[in-house]
């Protein structure tokens, strides 16, 4: 959600929430400054850590105000997440890939999935673009090749959820999610830019974009929906936010692969209009529902995921008026640390767990509650 608020400042210039966004991003970095806080030591997955890393990467790319000099900087935090995950690249099963979970005792540790590897691919590509360091690009290519080798992505660029490693990742779960499509699209678009518009990455970007058609309603032209759960009312808390990520990454992809701009905006403009109409519920008539395909008839649902998705798709329509993401060579001011995170623990078991303090629990709860208010306020401000 803090990635959405970084985008909000980037697109609107409204700095109202910047201090609390910075506070939130820095409060969760953990003792090794790699987004492995003790408060999350029971349930943090590679995908969770990666989302924090991508938020820090966005802060660097968008010149979000830097932290105080005595704090880790945005680029260094993104590098720390990358380095800690590179150490977890696991060749004991499936000939590589990241596991979904970091901790051996968590359900999902034996599952390798597209989102964990997609976040790693995305972050590697963007670090390559920002720093010019070929090592990150090599990891991006390695991850892309591995995902294809285990058929998590097919020849039509359709991306499937993942597979258990007991069968060596040979029995993929074919369910498809919007955020998987988005995370690979931005990674590929960034590699297209990094490789000076190579034909290989151009083809991949176009294929991935075409594959997103699956997530746009056949009944409401170019209106996004979460096909696996939205029509049935079965989306869980995480899944309610997935459309925010596809919206964010489709828009960001146009900045590094401008040849897809027109096709992307056809979808984002129609989806934003429908999302704004769906923000018609609750006592104030501004609460956002999930089903953008229902238009102005509020679907009766509400929550952070719905608000965040509406905010992201609406503000993404401002992308053409925004400056392109910066790099270290084009005005980026965030300071990096190539060795950040390299002292972290690759795989954690119960013996590695630190007791969570009451203060940490209170801090995490406050940040989440306040973020919900911020995201809702951002939607109202933009729509108004």
């Amino acid at each position: 959600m803090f990635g959405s608020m970084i985008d909000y400042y980037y697109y609107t210039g409204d700095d109202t929430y910047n201090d609390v966004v910075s506070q939130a991003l820095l409060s969760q970095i953990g003792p090794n400054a790699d987004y492995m806080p003790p408060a999350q030591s029971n349930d943090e997955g590679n995908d969770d850590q990666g989302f924090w890393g991508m938020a820090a990467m966005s802060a660097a790319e968008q010149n979000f105000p830097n932290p105080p000099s005595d704090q880790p900087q945005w680029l260094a935090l993104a590098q720390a997440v990358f380095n800690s995950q590179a150490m977890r690249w696991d060749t004991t099963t499936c000939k590589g890939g990241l596991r979904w979970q970091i901790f051996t005792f968590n359900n999902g540790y034996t599952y390798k999935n597209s989102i964990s590897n997609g976040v790693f691919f995305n972050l590697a590509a963007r670090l390559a673009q920002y720093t010019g360091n070929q090592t990150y690009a090599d990891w991006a290519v390695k991850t892309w090749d591995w995902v294809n080798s285990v058929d998590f992505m097919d020849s039509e660029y359709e991306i499937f959820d993942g597979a258990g490693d007991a069968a060596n990742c040979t029995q993929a779960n074919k369910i498809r999610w919007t955020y998987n499509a988005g995370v690979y699209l931005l990674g590929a678009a960034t590699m297209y830019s990094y490789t000076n518009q190579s034909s290989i990455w151009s083809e991949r970007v176009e294929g991935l974009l075409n594959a997103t058609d699956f997530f746009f309603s056949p009944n409401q032209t170019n209106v996004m929906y979460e096909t696996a759960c939205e029509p049935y009312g079965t989306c869980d808390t995480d899944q309610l936010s997935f459309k925010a990520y596809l919206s964010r990454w489709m828009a960001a992809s146009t900045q590094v692969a401008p040849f897809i701009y027109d096709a992307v905006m056809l979808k984002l403009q129609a989806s934003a209009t429908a999302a704004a109409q769906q923000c018609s519920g609750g006592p104030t008539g501004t609460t956002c529902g999930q089903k953008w395909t229902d238009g102005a008839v509020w679907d009766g649902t509400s929550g952070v995921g719905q608000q965040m998705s509406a905010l992201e798709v609406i503000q993404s329509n401002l992308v053409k008026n925004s400056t392109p993401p910066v790099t270290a060579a084009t005005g980026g001011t965030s300071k990096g640390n190539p060795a950040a995170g390299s002292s972290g623990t690759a795989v954690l078991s119960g013996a590695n767990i630190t007791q969570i303090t009451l203060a940490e629990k209170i801090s995490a709860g406050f940040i989440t509650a306040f973020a919900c208010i911020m995201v809702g306020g951002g939607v109202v401000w933009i729509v108004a």
Side-chain angles (χ1 to χ4, degrees):
M1 70 177 68
F2 295 108
S4 292
M5 298 311 298
I6 292 168
D7 283 350
Y8 173 76
Y9 169 66
Y10 175 61
Y11 286 131
T12 69
D14 180 5
D15 62 2
T16 301
Y17 309 111
N18 284 3
D19 286 347
V20 75
V21 170
S22 291
Q23 177 189 346
L25 288 172
L26 294 173
S27 72
Q28 299 300 304
I29 63 175
N32 294 319
D34 57 1
Y35 285 114
M36 292 287 291
Q40 300 300 325
S41 57
N42 284 321
D43 56 13
E44 184 173 7
N46 279 308
D47 54 344
D48 302 316
Q49 184 195 24
F51 268 84
W52 285 103
M54 288 189 296
M57 192 72 238
S58 292
E61 293 167 333
Q62 297 172 6
N63 267 340
F64 190 78
N66 290 316
S69 60
D70 63 342
Q71 295 288 320
Q73 303 298 295
W74 306 131
L75 177 59
L77 288 166
Q79 289 171 312
V81 171
F82 171 85
N83 287 333
S84 65
Q85 296 199 341
M87 291 193 299
R88 298 187 199 119
W89 187 263
D90 173 47
T91 58
T92 62
T93 60
C94 311
K95 297 182 179 179
L98 289 177
R99 296 176 180 274
W100 177 20
Q101 295 298 317
I102 299 170
F103 304 99
T104 58
F105 53 81
N106 276 341
N107 289 333
Y109 181 75
T110 60
Y111 193 71
K112 294 188 176 182
N113 63 353
S114 291
I115 190 58
S116 295
N117 288 280
V119 166
F120 185 61
F121 165 67
N122 180 298
L123 192 55
R126 292 163 66 186
L127 282 168
Q129 177 87 333
Y130 192 98
T131 67
N133 188 327
Q134 180 63 31
T135 299
Y136 295 122
D138 292 342
W139 270 104
V141 171
K142 179 177 182 176
T143 307
W144 175 276
D145 290 346
W146 179 81
V147 167
N148 279 272
S149 75
V150 292
D151 294 329
F152 288 0
M153 185 187 302
D154 68 12
S155 61
E156 298 300 316
Y157 298 93
E158 298 171 338
I159 301 169
F160 308 120
D161 188 72
D165 68 354
N168 219 31
C169 296
T170 59
Q171 300 173 4
N173 178 349
K174 294 297 182 73
I175 197 167
R176 296 169 63 187
W177 300 105
T178 51
Y179 74 160
N180 278 329
V183 78
Y184 285 91
L185 176 62
L186 178 55
T190 304
M191 288 300 292
Y192 165 79
S193 178
Y194 177 79
T195 57
N196 295 315
Q197 298 80 48
S198 75
S199 59
I200 291 175
W201 287 106
S202 173
E203 178 184 337
R204 291 168 176 174
V205 169
E206 187 172 1
L208 287 164
L209 180 60
N210 289 340
T212 66
D213 287 348
F214 180 74
F215 301 109
F216 290 84
S217 173
N219 301 317
Q220 301 289 332
T221 304
N222 290 323
V223 174
M224 191 186 301
Y225 74 125
E226 196 65 59
T227 56
C229 60
E230 186 174 314
Y232 318 107
T234 57
C235 298
D236 65 22
T237 300
D238 289 340
Q239 292 156 9
L240 288 167
S241 71
F242 286 179
K243 290 188 294 187
Y245 310 125
L246 178 56
S247 301
R248 174 190 305 166
W249 293 325
M250 287 180 75
S253 294
T254 69
Q255 296 182 301
V256 285
F259 73 93
I260 64 172
Y261 176 83
D262 289 343
V264 165
M265 295 314 297
L266 281 175
K267 291 178 165 61
L268 292 185
Q269 288 169 359
S271 294
T273 299
Q277 291 173 339
Q278 181 60 204
C279 293
S280 59
T284 63
T286 57
T287 297
C288 301
Q290 181 192 19
K291 295 183 179 179
W292 301 345
T293 52
D294 283 357
V297 180
W298 182 46
D299 65 7
T301 70
S302 61
V304 175
Q306 292 93 322
Q307 297 292 122
M308 190 169 77
S309 294
L311 172 63
E312 199 70 72
V313 74
I314 292 168
Q315 68 189 12
S316 289
N317 280 268
L318 302 174
V319 67
K320 191 172 185 178
N321 299 323
S322 302
T323 57
V326 297
T327 69
T330 62
T333 62
S334 188
K335 297 183 183 299
N337 177 4
S342 57
S343 62
T345 304
V347 177
L348 303 182
S349 61
N352 301 108
I353 300 308
T354 304
Q355 183 67 36
I356 304 171
T357 68
L358 178 61
E360 287 172 324
K361 291 180 180 178
I362 293 172
S363 174
F366 170 77
I367 289 169
T368 300
F370 191 79
C372 185
I373 296 170
M374 286 196 304
V375 171
V379 173
V380 173
W381 188 89
I382 291 178
V383 172

